[in-house]
Amino acid sequence: MTHHDPNCIFCKIIAGQIPSRKVYEDEELYAFHDISPWAPIHFMIVPKAHIPSLAQAGPEHEALLGRIMSLAPKLALEQGCRPYPEGGFRVVVNTGTDGGQEVHHLHVHVMGGPRPWLRG
Ligand code: AMP
Ligand code: ZN
């Protein structure tokens, strides 16, 4: 049974209680566009299970993290990022206060598209 936090904004997005622009969904992952993009293409891949951050990821999450990382390049191309090496994308996992994390549900940012970007 997947753990959900009723107070978590990303759990609410995954449950469809808050609208989002979906990029991808399967049994254990959900991807959606960032509401405040830094780059022309900016979406996030999140596990459906409520894991607060990368700091809580353990050996039991290795397969899930691997799936996220191998999904990122596939979705980046589908969303319009140009191919490597001229194009490419950036993957960011903000973790904790010093890491700049604002939403405490593990999420992997995927950013790409032509520069300049708004940030980064
Ligand atoms: P972080 O600083 O890594 O925790 O990033 C959280 C990200 O979630 C930010 O880039 C926000 O723009 C994004 N965000 C917050 N609320 C929403 C929402 N309702 N829909 C889509 N993205 C969101
Ligand atoms: Zn959550």
Side-chain angles (χ1 to χ4, degrees), residues 3-5 8-12 14 48-51 104-105:
H3 175 60
H4 293 274
D5 179 339
C8 169
I9 184 170
F10 285 1
C11 282
K12 288 180 186 170
I14 293 159
K48 287 187 172 176
H50 181 84
I51 302 165
H104 291 268
H105 179 129

Side-chain angles (χ1 to χ4, degrees), residues 25-52:
E25 181 171 17
D26 65 31
E27 307 78 45
E28 55 183 4
L29 300 177
Y30 189 77
F32 58 105
H33 291 280
D34 197 296
I35 204 166
S36 171
W38 295 17
I41 298 161
H42 184 175
F43 61 90
M44 295 176 281
I45 307 174
V46 309
K48 287 187 172 176
H50 181 84
I51 302 165

Side-chain angles (χ1 to χ4, degrees), residues 36-39 90 102 111 115-120:
S36 171
W38 295 17
R90 177 177 291 181
E102 291 175 359
M111 287 163 271
R115 289 180 177 273
W117 292 357
L118 199 58
R119 291 166 75 182

